[in-house]
Amino acid sequence: MPVFSIDGITPVVDPTAFVHETAVLIGDAIVGPGAYVGPNAVMRGDFGRLILGPGANLQDTCIMHGFPGTDTEVEENGHIGHGAVLHGCRIGRNTLVGMNAVIMDGAEIGPECIVAACAFVKAKFHCDARSMLVGSPARLLRQVTDEEIAWKSRGTAEYQALSRRCLQTLRPAEPLAAVEADRRRIVVEDVQPLYKSRG
């Protein structure tokens, strides 16, 4: 993975975390135990400190950055969907930030919240635990249900398992010229979109 020190400060990656080789880590970036950083994600700690907590995931093409002297933090079991941007904000424990959402400076998202895909959370926005945020600018829609938290937690557990799977089995390979007749599928049980589980 491209890792760069700046001003004598070097990123930290816990040995139990997985960071994809195309992700970029710069300066004051800290990746905690069991965390997952996906392809082309960027943790650009050249101004503020960036913290990806234990068991958290930062998926493909996500960006973490912040102004000088700030912390941008995803707390334990945080789940950051593809393409999201986090800038100088704090994401609470076991919270889900949906795909392509943007969370701005000084925003604090409480624990066990869900930020909808494509939501825009304005600077200095604060919300309590179990808030469902939607829209641009984001607003409180309602409280998150037990069913939604259970679904989110299962998804995050699969990303924690993915970290372990990647550390154990992900290797560079050459593509095959044709699909094998008996091509296997990747098996991940008991994970499906929330809309399917609701029937």
Side-chain angles (χ1 to χ4, degrees):
M1 77 194 91
V3 174
F4 301 92
S5 175
I6 188 168
D7 297 335
I9 298 174
T10 302
V12 176
V13 177
D14 187 276
T16 63
F18 173 78
V19 179
H20 192 272
E21 65 179 16
T22 63
V24 178
L25 274 57
I26 298 171
D28 200 0
I30 301 167
V31 179
Y36 172 89
V37 179
N40 298 306
V42 176
M43 296 180 71
R44 201 182 112 206
D46 50 10
F47 290 149
R49 175 166 291 171
L50 313 176
I51 304 163
L52 189 63
N57 65 74
L58 187 70
Q59 298 174 21
D60 322 43
T61 72
C62 288
I63 296 171
M64 288 181 73
H65 192 244
F67 282 106
T70 64
D71 288 355
T72 303
E73 182 172 6
V74 179
E75 294 183 358
E76 185 173 5
N77 296 332
H79 192 104
I80 312 302
H82 316 291
V85 176
L86 308 179
H87 203 276
C89 57
R90 179 179 302 274
I91 307 300
R93 178 189 51 77
N94 205 31
T95 283
L96 166 68
V97 174
M99 293 181 270
N100 291 313
V102 175
I103 317 292
M104 293 300 295
D105 303 277
E108 293 192 15
I109 309 300
E112 297 189 330
C113 291
I114 295 178
V115 179
C118 297
F120 176 77
V121 178
K122 296 191 297 188
K124 296 177 25 176
F125 182 96
H126 289 219
C127 67
D128 295 329
R130 290 203 161 195
S131 296
M132 171 74 76
L133 304 178
V134 300
S136 180
R139 62 180 174 76
L140 175 64
L141 178 66
R142 59 174 172 77
Q143 292 296 292
V144 174
T145 67
D146 290 345
E147 175 195 23
E148 289 164 336
I149 289 300
W151 170 80
K152 182 268 168 213
S153 297
R154 283 192 303 275
T156 301
E158 286 304 327
Y159 267 91
Q160 292 162 352
L162 179 58
S163 277
R164 296 188 296 273
R165 288 170 49 212
C166 288
L167 289 170
Q168 293 166 4
T169 69
L170 187 69
R171 303 289 179 265
E174 292 295 321
L176 303 175
V179 177
E180 313 96 302
D182 59 347
R183 186 171 179 84
R184 297 179 341 173
R185 287 188 174 269
I186 292 178
V187 177
V188 179
E189 297 181 7
D190 197 36
V191 177
Q192 59 184 347
L194 187 58
Y195 76 89
K196 284 191 173 183
S197 68
R198 288 179 169 163

